[in-house]
């Protein structure tokens, strides 16, 4: 399994407008970083219905069309499509992530054909404490790196239940 780190910041612009009738819907913004090969991905976690209905990239639109049912909002669960970020350019890839704050878990699926990465992770999410005043610190972090993993084993049953769990499984099969 490849090493991965997800850093999430609370979106302080959430709910504000950026144009007539256009609202910022991402509750958390963040990054995913893989080490070998190095890759960085951008995250914008939104409520499930917004994530599904407002896809921007044609690849993500096609993935959404392949779902059997329309996903519904679930309290405390947020979704994002993945975009690779290289030299200031965002490229849509065939992946997504789901954040479940009820169980403090993140589910990540990266299918990046250009870098030949097709991996899946389910990781515990932890709160971050700002140790250096004035230095930007993420609100949440999840990683496979051993120095950040706690000695407690998180629940392995996951927090994605019912219809939305079936939809996530459908996304895995559609890529």
């Amino acid at each position: 399994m490849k090493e991965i780190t997800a850093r999430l910041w609370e979106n302080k612009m959430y709910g504000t407008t950026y144009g007539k009738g256009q609202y910022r819907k991402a509750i958390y913004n963040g990054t995913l970083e893989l080490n070998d090969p190095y890759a960085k991905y951008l995250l914008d976690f939104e409520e499930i219905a917004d994530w599904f209905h407002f896809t921007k990239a044609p690849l993500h639109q096609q993935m959404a069309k392949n779902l059997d049912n329309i996903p519904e909002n679930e309290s405390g669960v947020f979704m994002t499509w993945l975009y690779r970020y290289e030299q200031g350019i965002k490229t849509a890839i065939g992946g997504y992530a789901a954040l479940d704050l009820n169980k403090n878990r993140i589910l990540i699926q990266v299918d990046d054909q250009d870098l030949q990465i097709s991996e899946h992770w389910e990781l515990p999410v932890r709160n971050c404490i700002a140790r250096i005043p004035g230095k930007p610190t993420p609100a949440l972090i999840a990683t496979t790196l051993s120095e950040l993993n706690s000695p407690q084993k998180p629940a392995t049953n996951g927090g994605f239940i019912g219809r939305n769990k079936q939809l996530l499984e459908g996304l895995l099969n559609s890529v």
Side-chain angles (χ1 to χ4, degrees):
M1 176 186 290
K2 295 184 183 303
E3 291 181 351
I4 190 168
T5 301
R7 293 176 184 87
L8 305 176
W9 284 266
E10 289 181 30
N11 184 5
K12 294 180 181 177
M13 302 293 284
Y14 173 72
T16 62
T17 61
Y18 61 94
K20 188 174 182 177
Q22 302 292 315
Y23 293 90
R24 291 179 177 90
K25 295 180 181 169
I27 295 167
Y28 286 97
N29 303 113
T31 60
L32 286 177
E33 291 186 59
L34 288 168
N35 289 335
D36 187 24
Y38 180 78
K40 186 174 188 173
Y41 302 96
L42 301 179
L43 310 170
D44 286 319
F45 281 100
E46 303 172 331
E47 290 187 340
I48 297 170
D50 291 334
W51 165 80
F52 177 77
H53 290 293
F54 298 106
T55 57
K56 295 177 182 136
L59 174 63
H60 297 155
Q61 291 171 354
Q62 186 59 42
M63 289 174 65
K65 284 180 187 175
N66 289 338
L67 294 176
D68 293 333
N69 298 314
I70 295 174
E72 299 173 1
N73 284 339
E74 190 174 328
S75 178
V77 178
F78 308 101
M79 300 288 296
T80 184
W81 299 108
L82 299 183
Y83 291 87
R84 184 175 356 101
Y85 186 74
E86 287 181 308
Q87 301 171 354
I89 299 170
K90 293 189 330 183
T91 306
I93 66 156
Y96 66 93
L99 175 65
D100 185 345
L101 296 178
N102 302 317
K103 301 280 186 177
N104 291 327
R105 308 286 289 168
I106 188 170
L107 174 79
I108 304 164
Q109 175 67 41
V110 176
D111 289 310
D112 191 338
Q113 302 302 322
D114 294 342
L115 298 179
Q116 298 176 343
I117 299 171
S118 183
E119 296 247 5
H120 171 77
W121 297 266
E122 188 170 345
L123 304 170
V125 175
R126 294 173 182 78
N127 291 319
C128 294
I129 300 171
R131 303 229 185 250
I132 302 173
K135 183 178 180 187
T137 303
L140 303 170
I141 191 166
T143 186
T144 58
L145 299 176
S146 59
E147 63 266 16
L148 292 179
N149 288 339
S150 68
Q152 283 185 321
K153 296 292 181 192
T156 56
N157 58 355
F160 306 101
I161 56 174
R163 249 181 72 179
N164 286 329
K165 181 172 184 166
Q166 293 170 345
L167 290 169
L168 290 175
E169 291 169 356
L171 270 178
L172 285 173
N173 297 331
S174 70
V175 180

